[in-house]
């Protein structure tokens, strides 16, 4: 019993002396060395957090786009066997009445073809440019409020109340934006703002003017043609108010599952499929997300190993160049534990400072910057996914790696024969 | 003499001490069955030609090295019974060592170099620094306590080294050619410090090349090829019994 108490007191003393030595060694070592090591630690931390964060963010950016610009937090779609969402008005009334709903948008949908250059082609035998599309008739204000569609206009302008025979084209209907021609995904060539296009469905043909081009990076949306709901209704001769899809944006304080439950509890699921975004999220997107997260973890693991080796080398060189003084300290009676602790402390200190700087860079610079200016990937606006707990876990791993990578070389040098170390033999 | 009891008190006792080195298959015996005793409070000088085994002997006595065979008792302890940890602790609490090349830790100031072993002994910071300062005062270096070794002259560094060796009031002070790198005046200064410490009862074992410094000690042991060829008490010094 007495021995245990004594030895724990000795350990405490050893730690105190180790700290004493570590602080002075760091303080009085060359500023450039310290700077360099700290820099390496910062880079390692960023490598751990940012590389995988951007990988995941790439997909997350795509998911966020689908959520914000198309499906919403809760997506309501027609039942499989129906053409429209039945009792749409009843459903919309329930949505509008819900205190948890921030905004929503309803879209009439209609499969159609869109044609261009039918006037300009030289010969009758020249093929008319034509491609399949989905017409979406929207309430301009509701749509803009819920999905910010007007901000997605890359050419021309958004529709206005009373705009008749005017449409917005999804950019992927145009070769210029799609970037390639293919027979499986035909696109229009010479269409610009002000061009005339022909919309055809159910034996109805109508010539309309392109008012704007939208680019949302959500493929479904970017293949659509948007017009006002009133025009689509009158074109198709619809008298009911049954829409094709409804997207709901809930308040930030609300819970999507609860909002869905309340809609279901009103029996609305008899008329439509009601899904939260997570439920409706396509499986392939989930799979890709997982794959990317795994890739990110692998890259992180490699980064961690590199960090380990770097720290190992730094501490090893540091300790081996001080071999004589380590010997002397042991010679005058300083416990090995204290000396080893001094080196572990040093490496942890570098890791701490590097991590702190890394944290600041990630959360005060990179994340806000990338949230405001997402990386422009073709299929998504890449953001940086770095959660505080996730980042702390990575920082913790880095510390663990540092601990081991700092301890082993220190131990290797401290273990050497005292007299040999002192005499340098 | 051991049978005479309480009064006689050997600080160091060695019996048939053998130490050899083996290089490239050749065994070279450095210390050849040495036996002697050193009383507490004695100032002993060890001299001899270069390569005669003086440093090697000092390493065995100060627990920095292990002999091949033989018995060593230091401060009443049979040191063959100590494990690694205990040897380190023994050096910390009972021995002081002055190295030829000062051997100060470069990133510690004078007082920090002196205070480290005191902190290791578990003293609180205030007491440790007080003792370290006192040790530096004893070597007349109170005005340089915050200098790094690189900001001190050789003599000053050697004085810090002495302060570090005596700060914790060791039972034995070892010094291996403490004046080898110093000029005459500084060397004499160091010797004065040793004599001063010895006057207060400090047991000192010093290796030196200089006959005139050896003559200042109570006793001079002359080594030649690992054998003691002369062991005499110096005139002008009375043995302390
Ligand atoms: N590690 C070693 N391996 C082999 N031989 C050694 C080793 N260390 C010392 N020796 C030999 O042991 C002998 C004694 O060495 P030691 O250092 O004790 O001499 P010394 O009396 O202190 O000499 P100096 O006055 O030059 O310091 C020398 O011949 C030396 O070559
Ligand atoms: Mg020597």
């Amino acid at each position: 019993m007495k021995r245990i108490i004594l030895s724990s007191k000795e350990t405490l003393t050893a730690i105190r002396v180790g700290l004493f030595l570590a602080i002075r060694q760091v303080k009085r070592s060359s500023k450039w060395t310290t700077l360099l090591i700290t820099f390496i630690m910062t880079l390692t931390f960023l490598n751990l957090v940012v590389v995988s964060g951007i990988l995941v963010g790439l997909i997350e950016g795509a998911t966020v786009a689908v959520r914000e610009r198309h499906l919403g937090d809760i997506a309501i779609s027609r039942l499989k066997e129906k053409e429209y969402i039945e009792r749409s008005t009843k459903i919309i009334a329930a949505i509008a009445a819900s205190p948890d709903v921030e905004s929503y948008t309803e879209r009439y949908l209609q499969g159609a073809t869109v044609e261009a250059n039918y006037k300009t082609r030289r010969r009758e035998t020249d093929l008319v440019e034509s491609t399949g599309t989905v017409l979406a008739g929207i309430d301009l204000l509701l749509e803009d409020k819920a999905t910010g569609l007007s901000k997605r206009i890359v050419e021309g302008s958004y529709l206005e109340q009373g705009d008749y025979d005017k449409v917005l084209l999804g950019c992927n209907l145009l070769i210029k934006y799609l970037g390639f021609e293919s027979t499986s995904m035909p696109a229009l060539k010479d269409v610009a703002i002000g061009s005339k296009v022909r919309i055809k469905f159910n034996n109805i043909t109508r010539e309309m003017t392109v008012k704007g081009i939208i680019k949302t990076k959500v493929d479904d949306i970017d293949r659509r043609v948007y017009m006002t709901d009133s025009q689509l209704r009158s074109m198709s001769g619809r008298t009911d108010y049954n829409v094709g899809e409804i997207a709901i944006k809930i308040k930030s304080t609300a819970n999507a599952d609860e909002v869905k439950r309340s809609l279901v509890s009103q029996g609305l699921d008899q008329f439509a499929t009601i899904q939260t975004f997570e439920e409706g999220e396509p499986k392939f997107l989930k799979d890709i997300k997982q794959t990317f997260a795994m890739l990110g973890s692998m890259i992180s693991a490699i980064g961690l190993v590199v960090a380990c080796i770097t720290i190992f080398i730094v501490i090893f060189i540091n300790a081996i160049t001080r071999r004589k003084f380590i010997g002397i300290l042991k010679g005058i009676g300083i416990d090995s534990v204290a000396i080893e602790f001094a080196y572990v402390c040093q490496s942890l200190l570098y890791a701490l400072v590097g991590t702190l700087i890394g944290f600041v860079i990630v959360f005060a610079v990179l994340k806000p910057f990338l949230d405001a200016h997402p990386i422009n990937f073709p299929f998504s606006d890449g953001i940086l996914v770095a959660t505080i707990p996730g980042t702390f876990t990575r920082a913790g791993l880095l510390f663990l790696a540092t601990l081991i990578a700092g301890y082993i070389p220190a131990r290797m040098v401290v273990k050497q024969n005292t007299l040999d170390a002192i005499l340098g033999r | 003499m051991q049978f005479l009891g309480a009064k006689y008190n050997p600080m160091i006792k060695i019996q048939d001490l053998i130490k050899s080195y083996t290089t490239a298959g050749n065994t070279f015996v450095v210390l050849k069955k040495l036996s002697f005793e050193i009383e507490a409070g004695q100032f002993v000088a060890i001299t001899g030609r270069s390569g005669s085994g003086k440093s090697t002997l000092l390493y065995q006595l100060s627990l920095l090295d292990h002999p091949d065979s033989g018995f060593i008792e230091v401060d009443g302890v049979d040191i063959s019974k100590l494990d690694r940890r205990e040897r380190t602790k023994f050096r910390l609490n009972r021995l002081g060592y002055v190295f030829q090349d000062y051997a100060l830790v470069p990133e510690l100031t004078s007082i920090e170099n002196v205070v480290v072993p005191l902190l290791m002994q578990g003293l609180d910071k205030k007491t440790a620094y007080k003792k370290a300062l006192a040790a530096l005062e004893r070597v007349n270096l109170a005005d340089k306590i915050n200098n790094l070794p690189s900001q001190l002259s050789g003599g000053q560094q050697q004085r810090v080294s002495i302060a570090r060796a005596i700060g914790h009031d060791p039972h034995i002070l070892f010094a291996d050619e403490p004046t080898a790198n110093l000029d005459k005046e500084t060397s004499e200064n160091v010797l004065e410090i040793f004599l001063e410490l010895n006057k207060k009862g400090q047991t000192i074992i010093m290796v030196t090349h200089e006959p005139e410094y050896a003559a200042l000690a109570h006793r001079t042991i002359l080594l030649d090829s690992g054998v003691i060829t002369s062991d005499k008490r110096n005139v002008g010094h009375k043995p302390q019994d």
Side-chain angles (χ1 to χ4, degrees), chain A residues 63 96 132 238 251 335 345-346 367 386:
Chain A
T63 315
R238 295 265 299 274
K251 292 194 168 135
D335 200 294
C345 264
Q346 271 184 76
K367 201 165 167 3

Side-chain angles (χ1 to χ4, degrees), chain B residues 50-51 53-56 59 100 176-177 207 209:
Chain B
S50 181
K54 307 182 294 291
S55 295
T56 308
Y59 300 147
Q100 181 177 331
D176 192 353
E177 303 191 38
V207 169
H209 266 123

Side-chain angles (χ1 to χ4, degrees), chain A residues 352-416:
Chain A
L352 183 72
V353 176
T355 305
L356 282 180
I357 295 174
F359 253 92
V360 170
I361 292 177
V362 169
F363 288 104
V365 182
L366 279 180
K367 201 165 167 3
F369 179 81
L370 286 177
D371 282 347
H373 312 275
I375 306 171
N376 192 3
F377 292 115
F379 52 90
S380 90
D381 293 328
I383 51 169
L384 176 65
V385 173
T387 58
I388 300 265
T391 310
F392 265 107
T393 309
R394 279 150 203 276
L397 278 175
L398 185 63
F399 273 87
L400 197 71
T402 308
L403 196 81
I404 297 164
Y407 174 74
I408 294 172
R411 175 105 195 95
M412 276 163 63
V413 176
V414 172
K415 215 175 62 186
Q416 292 182 8

